[in-house]
Amino acid sequence: MRRLAIPDGCVPWTSDFPTSQDGTASGVDAYKPPFYIAAVVAAGPVWADNWRERKTFQFNSVDGRVNRTSFEGHYTVDPHGSPLNPRGRTGLAGMGLLGRVGPNHAADPIVTRWQRTPDGALVLGEDDQPVLEVVLIKRRDTGEWAIPGGMVEAGDTVGRTLSKEFGEEALASLERGPAHAAALKAVIDRVFRSGGTLIYTGYVDDHRNTDNAWMETSVVNFHDPDGQTFGQLPLRAGDDAGDVAWVPAEPGMQLYASHALFIDQVCQMRARAWKPSP
Ligand code: RP5
């Protein structure tokens, strides 16, 4: 599905749009994007809303087991019952590939450690600062490297989703079988027991976003300061991940959606907090 190109300055909902392609409308009414709901969403899986029922949804609130509030504040719902993307026009109407009309909440765990030599000494970079490493996965859908995050399911919490998605994508918890369940649970508990440091909550610039459905996330950093806490993890790609690795975190990495911005924030925060041993 091709998006309608949005000319510069026409992203805000209130801005006029150049005359529509058929020449019948101008101003705000001239914006006529293609409408798209992917077949997998329209088939009505348990994780997806029914677009035709959107007028019954409690937007801007927690609607039963589904959180339809936005980190971006109150969003507008148009007279047809369609919530409007708080960041403006995207050139595509409908739900696209997303399961929720309106905000789709995700959780992204950024798991970090300092790079060390096999005997445990810190590796210093060219600037004499330690090198931060982060666990990244390679997404099967786009082939891009990304934080191993995922959607917060109906009735679930951000905290549980952080550890669940990390287990599934970076430790292959679903594929290893019951014999490994207890050992994996112990590893996951060790990584997530601190509760982590909240890095970001809000909109994510995801390629699936549409005018009426968009991604928002909670990003939390879990850091191993001494290489002993969880520095050694039995990484194995699982579920939606084709690969997983500890990757040196650098400013300006090429990553999925807005993930490079989140990693930059963690790099800055950890660099500020790091003190050389006396
Ligand atoms: C991104 O999509 C979020 O930041 C999160 O990493 C991810 C969730 O979607 P799935 O990985 O479940 O497709 O926008």
Side-chain angles (χ1 to χ4, degrees), residues 106 108 139 147 149-151 169 204 206 208 215 217 256-257 259:
D108 283 299
R139 292 180 65 102
I147 301 165
M151 303 292 188
E169 297 190 347
V204 193
D206 190 291
R208 295 169 290 190
M215 292 295 309
T217 193
Y256 182 76
H259 290 187

Side-chain angles (χ1 to χ4, degrees), residues 50-277:
N50 183 336
W51 172 260
R52 286 185 297 278
E53 292 174 359
R54 68 195 182 286
K55 281 202 168 172
T56 66
F57 298 160
Q58 304 297 309
F59 290 115
N60 288 298
S61 3
V62 177
D63 183 7
R65 286 160 53 82
V66 180
N67 179 8
R68 301 194 194 276
T69 65
S70 168
F71 286 120
E72 305 284 308
H74 190 277
Y75 52 88
T76 304
V77 180
D78 76 11
H80 307 288
S82 307
L84 298 184
N85 187 318
R87 295 289 177 96
R89 296 169 173 140
T90 66
L92 192 63
M95 296 162 71
L97 279 157
L98 293 175
R100 298 284 168 218
V101 187
N104 286 249
H105 287 281
D108 283 299
I110 300 187
V111 174
T112 55
R113 69 178 183 189
W114 299 117
Q115 193 176 60
R116 291 174 189 273
T117 61
D119 58 10
L122 278 177
V123 174
L124 297 184
E126 286 174 7
D127 53 1
D128 271 344
Q129 294 294 305
V131 177
L132 194 69
E133 290 188 319
V134 57
V135 175
L136 296 179
I137 54 115
K138 191 168 187 184
R139 292 180 65 102
R140 283 190 200 278
D141 56 354
T142 66
E144 291 165 288
W145 285 89
I147 301 165
M151 303 292 188
V152 181
E153 289 173 13
D156 212 345
T157 63
V158 166
R160 276 198 298 267
T161 305
L162 289 164
S163 56
K164 175 172 156 286
E165 290 294 328
F166 189 80
E168 290 177 3
E169 297 190 347
L171 302 174
S173 60
L174 297 177
E175 286 90 347
R176 293 205 208 221
H180 293 91
L184 272 184
K185 183 178 178 307
V187 170
I188 291 170
D189 285 351
R190 233 180 316 136
V191 176
F192 291 93
R193 73 179 157 210
S194 71
T197 306
L198 184 65
I199 300 298
Y200 174 84
T201 53
Y203 191 88
V204 193
D205 201 7
D206 190 291
H207 72 285
R208 295 169 290 190
N209 293 342
T210 73
D211 289 353
N212 315 116
W214 61 91
M215 292 295 309
E216 299 194 9
T217 193
S218 302
V219 183
V220 183
N221 177 217
F222 299 87
H223 180 64
D224 181 350
D226 53 13
Q228 304 295 316
T229 317
F230 56 76
Q232 306 307 316
L233 290 173
L235 294 183
R236 179 168 142 193
D239 198 32
D240 301 334
D243 200 357
V244 62
W246 283 106
V247 178
E250 295 159 0
M253 297 171 89
Q254 293 293 310
L255 299 178
Y256 182 76
S258 315
H259 290 187
L261 296 176
F262 308 147
I263 302 277
D264 282 359
Q265 269 176 260
V266 172
C267 285
Q268 288 170 25
M269 180 185 76
R270 290 295 161 204
R272 275 196 306 271
W274 183 74
K275 302 245 179 343
S277 322

Side-chain angles (χ1 to χ4, degrees), residues 12-30:
W13 288 105
T14 47
S15 59
D16 279 348
F17 210 73
T19 310
S20 61
Q21 278 166 323
D22 58 9
T24 58
S26 61
V28 172
D29 294 339

